[in-house]
Coordinates of all heavy atoms in Angstrom, one line a residue:
T261 N -27.3 -23.9 35.8 CA -28.6 -24.3 36.1 C -28.4 -24.9 37.5 O -27.6 -25.8 37.8 CB -29.1 -25.4 35.2 OG1 -29.0 -25.0 33.8 CG2 -30.5 -25.8 35.5
N262 N -29.3 -24.6 38.4 CA -29.2 -25.1 39.8 C -29.6 -26.5 39.7 O -30.5 -27.0 39.0 CB -30.3 -24.5 40.7 CG -29.8 -23.2 41.4 OD1 -28.8 -22.5 40.8 ND2 -30.3 -22.8 42.5
G263 N -28.8 -27.5 40.5 CA -29.1 -28.7 40.6 C -28.6 -29.7 39.7 O -28.8 -30.9 39.8
T264 N -27.8 -29.3 38.7 CA -27.2 -30.2 37.7 C -25.9 -29.5 37.1 O -25.9 -28.3 37.1 CB -28.2 -30.5 36.6 OG1 -27.5 -31.4 35.6 CG2 -28.7 -29.3 35.9
D265 N -25.0 -30.3 36.9 CA -23.8 -29.6 36.2 C -23.9 -29.9 34.7 O -22.9 -29.6 34.0 CB -22.4 -30.0 36.8 CG -22.0 -31.4 36.4 OD1 -22.8 -32.1 35.8 OD2 -21.0 -31.9 36.9
T266 N -25.0 -30.2 34.2 CA -25.2 -30.5 32.8 C -25.7 -29.2 32.1 O -25.9 -29.2 30.8 CB -26.2 -31.6 32.4 OG1 -27.4 -31.3 33.0 CG2 -25.6 -32.9 32.9
G267 N -26.1 -28.2 32.9 CA -26.8 -27.0 32.3 C -26.0 -25.7 32.4 O -26.6 -24.7 32.9
N268 N -24.7 -25.6 32.1 CA -24.0 -24.5 32.1 C -24.0 -23.9 30.7 O -24.0 -24.6 29.6 CB -22.5 -24.8 32.4 CG -22.3 -25.4 33.7 OD1 -23.1 -25.5 34.5 ND2 -21.0 -26.0 33.9
A269 N -24.0 -22.5 30.7 CA -23.9 -21.8 29.3 C -23.3 -20.4 29.6 O -23.3 -19.9 30.7 CB -25.3 -21.7 28.7
T270 N -22.8 -19.9 28.5 CA -22.3 -18.5 28.6 C -23.2 -17.7 27.7 O -23.4 -18.0 26.5 CB -20.9 -18.3 28.1 OG1 -20.0 -19.1 28.9 CG2 -20.3 -16.8 28.1
S271 N -23.9 -16.7 28.3 CA -24.8 -15.8 27.5 C -24.2 -14.4 27.3 O -23.2 -14.1 27.9 CB -26.1 -15.8 28.3 OG -26.7 -17.0 28.3
F272 N -24.9 -13.7 26.5 CA -24.3 -12.4 26.1 C -25.2 -11.2 26.3 O -26.3 -11.2 25.8 CB -23.8 -12.5 24.6 CG -22.7 -13.5 24.5 CD1 -23.2 -14.8 24.2 CD2 -21.4 -13.3 24.6 CE1 -22.2 -15.8 24.0 CE2 -20.4 -14.2 24.4 CZ -20.8 -15.5 24.2
L273 N -24.7 -10.1 26.9 CA -25.5 -8.9 27.1 C -25.1 -8.1 25.9 O -24.0 -7.6 25.8 CB -25.2 -8.3 28.4 CG -25.3 -9.1 29.6 CD1 -25.2 -8.2 31.0 CD2 -26.6 -9.9 29.8
V274 N -26.0 -7.9 24.9 CA -25.7 -7.3 23.6 C -26.2 -5.9 23.5 O -27.4 -5.8 23.7 CB -26.2 -8.1 22.5 CG1 -25.8 -7.5 21.1 CG2 -25.7 -9.6 22.6
P275 N -25.4 -4.8 23.4 CA -25.8 -3.4 23.4 C -26.9 -3.2 22.3 O -27.0 -3.9 21.3 CB -24.6 -2.6 23.1 CG -23.5 -3.6 23.4 CD -23.9 -4.9 23.2
T276 N -27.6 -2.0 22.6 CA -28.6 -1.6 21.7 C -28.1 -1.4 20.3 O -28.8 -1.8 19.3 CB -29.1 -0.2 22.2 OG1 -29.5 -0.3 23.6 CG2 -30.3 0.3 21.4
A277 N -26.9 -0.8 20.1 CA -26.4 -0.6 18.8 C -25.2 -1.4 18.5 O -24.4 -1.7 19.4 CB -26.1 1.0 18.6
G278 N -25.1 -1.8 17.2 CA -23.9 -2.5 16.8 C -24.2 -3.5 15.7 O -25.3 -3.5 15.1
L279 N -23.4 -4.4 15.4 CA -23.4 -5.3 14.4 C -23.5 -6.8 14.9 O -22.6 -7.1 15.7 CB -22.1 -5.2 13.4 CG -22.2 -5.9 12.1 CD1 -23.4 -5.4 11.2 CD2 -20.9 -5.6 11.4
T280 N -24.4 -7.6 14.4 CA -24.6 -9.0 14.8 C -24.5 -9.8 13.5 O -25.2 -9.5 12.5 CB -26.0 -9.2 15.4 OG1 -26.0 -8.6 16.7 CG2 -26.3 -10.7 15.6
I281 N -23.8 -11.0 13.6 CA -23.8 -11.9 12.4 C -24.8 -13.0 12.9 O -24.6 -13.6 14.0 CB -22.5 -12.4 12.0 CG1 -22.6 -13.4 10.8 CG2 -21.7 -13.0 13.2 CD1 -21.3 -13.6 10.1
I282 N -25.7 -13.3 12.0 CA -26.6 -14.7 12.3 C -26.1 -15.6 11.3 O -26.3 -15.4 10.1 CB -28.0 -14.3 12.2 CG1 -28.5 -13.1 13.1 CG2 -28.9 -15.5 12.4 CD1 -30.0 -12.8 13.0
S283 N -25.6 -16.7 11.9 CA -25.0 -17.7 11.0 C -25.7 -19.1 11.1 O -25.9 -19.6 12.2 CB -23.5 -17.9 11.3 OG -22.9 -18.8 10.6
D284 N -26.0 -19.6 9.9 CA -26.5 -21.0 9.8 C -25.2 -21.9 10.0 O -24.1 -21.4 10.1 CB -27.0 -21.2 8.4 CG -27.7 -22.6 8.3 OD1 -28.2 -23.1 9.3 OD2 -27.8 -23.1 7.2
I285 N -25.4 -23.1 10.2 CA -24.2 -24.0 10.5 C -24.0 -25.1 9.4 O -22.8 -25.2 8.9 CB -24.4 -24.6 11.9 CG1 -24.4 -23.6 13.0 CG2 -23.2 -25.7 12.1 CD1 -24.7 -24.0 14.4
D286 N -25.0 -25.9 9.1 CA -24.8 -27.0 8.2 C -24.5 -26.4 6.7 O -25.1 -25.6 6.2 CB -26.0 -27.8 8.1 CG -26.2 -28.6 9.4 OD1 -25.3 -29.4 9.7 OD2 -27.2 -28.4 10.1
D287 N -23.4 -27.0 6.2 CA -23.0 -26.7 4.9 C -22.5 -25.2 4.6 O -22.3 -24.8 3.5 CB -24.0 -27.0 3.8 CG -24.1 -28.6 3.6 OD1 -23.0 -29.2 3.6 OD2 -25.2 -29.2 3.6
I288 N -22.3 -24.5 5.8 CA -21.6 -23.2 5.7 C -20.5 -23.2 6.7 O -19.4 -22.8 6.4 CB -22.6 -22.0 5.9 CG1 -21.9 -20.7 5.8 CG2 -23.5 -22.1 7.2 CD1 -21.4 -20.3 4.4
L289 N -20.7 -23.7 8.0 CA -19.7 -23.8 8.9 C -19.1 -25.3 9.1 O -18.0 -25.4 9.5 CB -20.1 -23.3 10.3 CG -20.6 -21.9 10.3 CD1 -20.9 -21.4 11.7 CD2 -19.6 -20.9 9.6
R290 N -19.9 -26.2 8.6 CA -19.5 -27.6 8.6 C -19.9 -28.3 7.4 O -20.9 -27.9 6.7 CB -19.9 -28.3 9.9 CG -21.3 -28.8 9.8 CD -21.7 -29.8 11.0 NE -22.9 -30.4 11.0 CZ -23.1 -31.7 10.6 NH1 -22.0 -32.4 10.5 NH2 -24.2 -32.2 10.6
V291 N -19.3 -29.4 7.0 CA -19.6 -30.2 5.9 C -20.7 -31.1 6.3 O -20.5 -31.9 7.2 CB -18.4 -31.0 5.4 CG1 -18.8 -31.9 4.2 CG2 -17.2 -30.0 5.0
T292 N -21.9 -31.0 5.7 CA -23.0 -31.9 6.0 C -23.4 -32.6 4.8 O -23.5 -33.9 4.8 CB -24.2 -31.0 6.6 OG1 -23.7 -30.2 7.6 CG2 -25.2 -32.0 7.1
R293 N -23.7 -31.9 3.7 CA -24.1 -32.6 2.5 C -25.3 -33.5 2.6 O -25.3 -34.6 2.1 CB -22.9 -33.4 1.8 CG -21.7 -32.5 1.7 CD -20.5 -33.2 1.1 NE -20.8 -33.6 -0.3 CZ -20.0 -34.5 -0.9 NH1 -19.2 -35.3 -0.2 NH2 -20.2 -34.7 -2.2
I294 N -26.4 -33.0 3.2 CA -27.5 -33.7 3.4 C -28.3 -33.8 2.1 O -29.0 -34.7 1.9 CB -28.4 -33.2 4.5 CG1 -29.5 -34.4 4.9 CG2 -29.1 -32.0 4.2 CD1 -29.2 -35.1 6.1
Y295 N -27.9 -33.0 1.1 CA -28.5 -33.0 -0.3 C -28.0 -34.3 -0.9 O -28.4 -34.6 -2.0 CB -28.3 -31.8 -1.0 CG -26.8 -31.3 -0.9 CD1 -25.8 -31.8 -1.6 CD2 -26.7 -30.1 -0.1 CE1 -24.5 -31.3 -1.4 CE2 -25.3 -29.6 0.1 CZ -24.3 -30.1 -0.6 OH -23.0 -29.6 -0.5
Q296 N -27.0 -34.9 -0.4 CA -26.7 -36.3 -0.8 C -27.0 -37.2 0.4 O -26.2 -37.5 1.2 CB -25.2 -36.4 -1.1 CG -24.8 -35.5 -2.0 CD -23.7 -36.0 -2.9 OE1 -23.9 -37.0 -3.7 NE2 -22.4 -35.5 -2.8
P297 N -28.3 -37.7 0.4 CA -28.8 -38.4 1.6 C -28.0 -39.4 2.4 O -27.8 -39.2 3.7 CB -30.2 -38.9 1.3 CG -30.5 -38.1 0.0 CD -29.3 -37.8 -0.7
A298 N -27.5 -40.3 1.7 CA -26.6 -41.3 2.5 C -25.4 -40.7 3.1 O -25.1 -40.9 4.3 CB -26.3 -42.4 1.5
D299 N -24.8 -39.8 2.3 CA -23.6 -39.1 2.8 C -24.0 -38.2 4.0 O -23.3 -38.1 5.0 CB -23.1 -38.3 1.7 CG -21.7 -37.9 1.7 OD1 -21.0 -38.5 2.6 OD2 -21.3 -37.0 1.0
G300 N -25.0 -37.4 3.8 CA -25.5 -36.4 4.8 C -25.8 -37.1 6.0 O -25.5 -36.6 7.1
L301 N -26.4 -38.2 6.0 CA -26.8 -38.8 7.3 C -25.6 -39.4 8.0 O -25.6 -39.3 9.2 CB -27.8 -40.1 6.9 CG -29.3 -39.4 6.8 CD1 -30.2 -40.6 6.4 CD2 -29.8 -38.8 8.0
L302 N -24.7 -39.9 7.1 CA -23.4 -40.4 7.8 C -22.7 -39.2 8.6 O -22.3 -39.4 9.6 CB -22.5 -41.1 6.8 CG -22.6 -42.6 6.7 CD1 -21.6 -43.1 5.8 CD2 -22.6 -43.4 8.1
N303 N -22.5 -38.1 7.8 CA -22.0 -37.1 8.3 C -22.6 -36.4 9.5 O -22.0 -35.9 10.4 CB -21.9 -35.8 7.2 CG -20.9 -36.1 6.2 OD1 -19.9 -36.8 6.3 ND2 -21.1 -35.5 4.9
S304 N -23.8 -36.6 9.5 CA -24.6 -36.1 10.6 C -24.7 -37.0 11.8 O -24.9 -36.6 12.9 CB -26.0 -35.8 10.3 OG -26.1 -34.8 9.2
F305 N -24.6 -38.3 11.5 CA -25.0 -39.3 12.5 C -23.9 -40.0 12.9 O -23.9 -40.5 14.2 CB -26.0 -40.2 11.8 CG -26.8 -41.1 12.8 CD1 -27.7 -40.5 13.6 CD2 -26.6 -42.4 12.8 CE1 -28.5 -41.3 14.5 CE2 -27.3 -43.2 13.7 CZ -28.2 -42.6 14.5
A306 N -22.9 -40.2 12.2 CA -21.8 -41.1 12.7 C -20.4 -40.4 12.7 O -19.6 -40.7 13.5 CB -21.8 -42.3 11.8
K307 N -20.1 -39.5 11.7 CA -18.9 -39.0 11.6 C -18.6 -37.8 12.4 O -19.5 -37.1 12.8 CB -18.5 -38.6 10.1 CG -18.7 -39.9 9.3 CD -18.1 -39.7 7.9 CE -18.2 -41.0 7.2 NZ -17.4 -41.1 6.0
A308 N -17.4 -37.6 12.9 CA -17.0 -36.3 13.6 C -17.3 -35.1 12.7 O -17.2 -35.1 11.4 CB -15.6 -36.4 13.9
F309 N -17.8 -34.0 13.3 CA -18.1 -32.8 12.5 C -16.8 -32.3 12.0 O -15.8 -32.2 12.6 CB -18.7 -31.7 13.4 CG -20.2 -31.9 13.8 CD1 -20.8 -33.2 13.7 CD2 -21.0 -30.8 14.1 CE1 -22.2 -33.3 14.0 CE2 -22.3 -31.0 14.5 CZ -22.9 -32.2 14.3
T310 N -17.0 -31.8 10.6 CA -15.8 -31.3 10.1 C -16.0 -29.9 9.6 O -17.1 -29.6 8.8 CB -15.4 -32.2 8.8 OG1 -15.4 -33.5 9.1 CG2 -14.2 -31.8 8.1
P311 N -15.2 -28.9 9.8 CA -15.4 -27.5 9.3 C -15.4 -27.5 7.8 O -14.7 -28.3 7.1 CB -14.2 -26.7 9.8 CG -13.5 -27.6 10.8 CD -13.9 -29.0 10.5
W312 N -16.2 -26.5 7.2 CA -16.2 -26.4 5.8 C -15.0 -25.5 5.3 O -14.9 -24.4 5.7 CB -17.5 -25.8 5.3 CG -17.5 -25.5 3.8 CD1 -17.2 -26.5 2.9 CD2 -17.8 -24.4 3.1 NE1 -17.3 -25.9 1.6 CE2 -17.6 -24.5 1.7 CE3 -18.0 -23.1 3.5 CZ2 -17.7 -23.6 0.8 CZ3 -18.1 -22.0 2.5 CH2 -18.0 -22.3 1.2
M313 N -14.1 -26.1 4.6 CA -12.9 -25.5 4.1 C -12.2 -24.6 5.2 O -12.0 -25.0 6.4 CB -13.1 -24.8 2.8 CG -13.7 -25.8 1.7 SD -14.0 -24.9 0.2 CE -12.4 -24.5 -0.4
N314 N -11.9 -23.3 4.8 CA -11.2 -22.5 5.8 C -12.2 -21.4 6.3 O -11.8 -20.3 6.7 CB -10.0 -21.7 5.1 CG -10.5 -21.1 3.8 OD1 -11.3 -21.5 3.1 ND2 -9.8 -19.9 3.7
M315 N -13.4 -21.8 6.5 CA -14.4 -20.9 7.1 C -13.9 -20.5 8.5 O -14.1 -19.3 9.0 CB -15.8 -21.4 7.2 CG -16.6 -21.3 6.0 SD -16.7 -19.5 5.4 CE -18.2 -18.9 6.3
P316 N -13.3 -21.4 9.3 CA -12.9 -20.9 10.6 C -12.0 -19.8 10.6 O -12.0 -18.9 11.5 CB -12.2 -22.2 11.2 CG -12.9 -23.3 10.5 CD -13.1 -22.8 9.2
S317 N -11.1 -19.7 9.6 CA -10.2 -18.5 9.7 C -10.9 -17.3 9.2 O -10.6 -16.1 9.6 CB -9.0 -18.8 8.7 OG -9.3 -18.9 7.4
I318 N -11.9 -17.4 8.4 CA -12.7 -16.2 8.0 C -13.4 -15.6 9.3 O -13.4 -14.4 9.5 CB -13.8 -16.5 7.0 CG1 -13.2 -17.0 5.7 CG2 -14.7 -15.3 6.7 CD1 -12.5 -16.0 4.8
Y319 N -14.0 -16.6 10.0 CA -14.7 -16.1 11.2 C -13.6 -15.6 12.3 O -13.9 -14.6 13.0 CB -15.5 -17.2 11.8 CG -16.9 -17.3 11.3 CD1 -17.1 -17.3 9.9 CD2 -18.1 -17.5 12.0 CE1 -18.4 -17.3 9.3 CE2 -19.4 -17.6 11.5 CZ -19.5 -17.4 10.1 OH -20.8 -17.5 9.6
A320 N -12.6 -16.2 12.4 CA -11.6 -15.7 13.4 C -11.2 -14.3 13.0 O -11.1 -13.6 13.9 CB -10.4 -16.8 13.4
N321 N -10.9 -14.1 11.8 CA -10.5 -12.7 11.4 C -11.7 -11.7 11.7 O -11.4 -10.6 12.3 CB -10.3 -12.8 9.8 CG -10.0 -11.3 9.4 OD1 -9.2 -10.5 9.9 ND2 -10.9 -10.8 8.4
W322 N -12.9 -12.1 11.4 CA -14.0 -11.1 11.8 C -14.0 -11.0 13.3 O -14.2 -9.8 13.8 CB -15.3 -11.7 11.3 CG -15.5 -11.6 9.8 CD1 -14.8 -10.8 9.0 CD2 -16.5 -12.3 9.0 NE1 -15.2 -10.9 7.7 CE2 -16.3 -11.8 7.6 CE3 -17.5 -13.2 9.2 CZ2 -17.0 -12.3 6.6 CZ3 -18.3 -13.6 8.2 CH2 -18.0 -13.2 6.8
S323 N -13.9 -12.1 14.0 CA -13.9 -11.9 15.4 C -12.9 -11.0 16.0 O -13.1 -10.2 16.9 CB -13.9 -13.3 16.1 OG -13.8 -13.3 17.5
Q324 N -11.7 -11.1 15.3 CA -10.5 -10.3 15.9 C -10.6 -8.9 15.4 O -10.1 -7.9 16.0 CB -9.2 -11.0 15.5 CG -9.0 -12.1 16.4 CD -8.1 -13.2 15.7 OE1 -7.5 -12.9 14.6 NE2 -8.1 -14.5 16.2
S325 N -11.1 -8.6 14.1 CA -11.0 -7.4 13.5 C -12.1 -6.4 13.6 O -12.1 -5.3 13.5 CB -10.5 -7.5 12.0 OG -11.6 -8.1 11.3

Side-chain angles (χ1 to χ4, degrees):
T261 312
N262 272 28
T264 174
D265 72 2
T266 60
N268 298 349
T270 299
S271 293
F272 298 87
L273 312 185
V274 181
T276 305
L279 188 62
T280 292
I281 181 167
I282 300 181
S283 180
D284 188 29
I285 296 175
D286 288 298
D287 286 315
I288 180 74
L289 302 187
R290 82 171 186 105
V291 176
T292 311
R293 303 178 73 200
I294 196 103
Y295 39 78
Q296 303 213 65
D299 203 16
L301 280 175
L302 269 187
N303 285 334
S304 298
F305 195 67
K307 297 194 178 199
F309 281 25
T310 308
W312 178 53
M313 299 180 74
N314 56 325
M315 276 308 270
S317 68
I318 300 287
Y319 274 45
N321 173 55
W322 285 343
S323 173
Q324 283 149 21
S325 66

